[in-house]
Amino acid sequence: FFSCLRDLILRTRYSDSIFVRGHISLTHYISHDLIRPGDKVFTILRDPIEVPISQINYILTRLWRNLHRDDPDPDAKLWLNVLGIESLPEAPDEQLARELARKIMLDQRLVPPNSLCQWLGGGSAGAVVDRLAAYDVEVTDTTRYNAWLREKWGIESRTRSNVSDVFISAATLSPSDLDYIRGLSREDMALYHIVHDHLSRSGAS
């Protein structure tokens, strides 16, 4: 920990900007007065149908990768506890993966509703849009992300970190499960369409 602090202090002496990221809600930044004049705040929205599916694949990937660890990581322990499972079999099969995927999907502790809106301060899509405007938050979506990186920061990105294995996709879900996800993501879908339509009309990234 102290080694990391030392490196941070040494590096910040030679930089005129610091990039802060993480799973921290916009409300946290606002309530702690962390958005200063001159700071640039931005967010990238993903298609709301993909968000719960990605969360399910992420949890299953992490569980599978913890199979042969003597001491599973804290997230894996928590998820197994929520699912009411002590451990997974040594060689889990596709049937078990499908059953776990559905169990995860239906548990709102693991796949919460309207997570885009929640991370951006909570409330309806309209309330989120008002908050984004009030704090001058720049917004793009994943379809324009690479173009935005080039235009805004001069960055060419060809890699993705933390990629999950694909256990389920929109194409493999039943119509009823897709309907459930749409219901779970109603405000997120409204928010996404507002942003997507505005970007499409403006032609900007």
Side-chain angles (χ1 to χ4, degrees):
F1 174 69
F2 285 109
S3 177
C4 289
L5 284 179
R6 178 201 62 198
D7 291 345
L8 174 65
I9 291 166
L10 289 173
R11 289 172 183 173
T12 52
R13 290 176 59 193
Y14 302 102
S15 176
D16 59 1
S17 60
I18 300 171
F19 175 45
V20 181
R21 69 178 177 89
H23 292 161
I24 307 168
S25 73
L26 180 58
T27 303
H28 179 87
Y29 287 101
I30 293 170
S31 62
H32 290 80
D33 294 323
L34 295 175
I35 302 175
R36 307 165 305 171
D39 284 349
K40 294 179 175 67
V41 185
F42 58 85
T43 188
I44 298 96
L45 299 186
R46 187 175 188 177
D47 184 329
I49 298 301
E50 294 177 3
V51 174
I53 293 171
S54 176
Q55 174 70 353
I56 294 164
N57 283 326
Y58 177 69
I59 291 174
L60 287 174
T61 297
R62 292 278 301 281
L63 290 178
W64 257 239
R65 290 177 185 175
N66 270 266
L67 271 178
H68 302 295
R69 291 184 60 176
D70 293 333
D71 186 25
D73 65 44
D75 285 344
K77 285 181 181 178
L78 173 65
W79 295 326
L80 288 172
N81 184 55
V82 169
L83 292 167
I85 300 171
E86 288 188 10
S87 62
L88 292 171
E90 284 295 309
D93 56 21
E94 289 185 15
Q95 177 64 26
L96 177 61
R98 284 194 297 270
E99 291 172 2
L100 280 177
R102 195 160 198 282
K103 193 170 184 179
I104 292 166
M105 180 185 71
L106 297 175
D107 194 318
Q108 294 191 8
R109 293 170 296 177
L110 300 176
V111 182
N114 299 306
S115 60
L116 296 181
C117 288
Q118 291 304 317
W119 284 115
L120 294 171
S124 66
V128 171
V129 169
D130 289 343
R131 189 177 301 116
L132 295 174
Y135 288 91
D136 196 24
V137 180
E138 188 170 1
V139 186
T140 187
D141 60 19
T142 51
T143 62
R144 296 167 175 84
Y145 178 57
N146 285 335
W148 176 80
L149 276 178
R150 285 193 300 272
E151 294 168 16
K152 186 76 177 181
W153 306 102
I155 295 172
E156 290 288 343
S157 176
R158 296 182 178 87
T159 60
R160 289 178 60 200
S161 62
N162 210 23
V163 179
S164 299
D165 299 328
V166 178
F167 293 90
I168 64 165
S169 67
T172 64
L173 290 176
S174 68
S176 62
D177 285 345
L178 273 175
D179 284 344
Y180 173 80
I181 287 177
R182 290 190 186 99
L184 196 70
S185 310
R186 191 167 286 113
E187 291 300 325
D188 279 0
M189 290 174 71
L191 172 65
Y192 184 79
H193 287 311
I194 290 168
V195 171
H196 182 79
D197 291 349
H198 182 79
L199 290 171
S200 296
R201 286 197 305 272
S202 70
S205 61

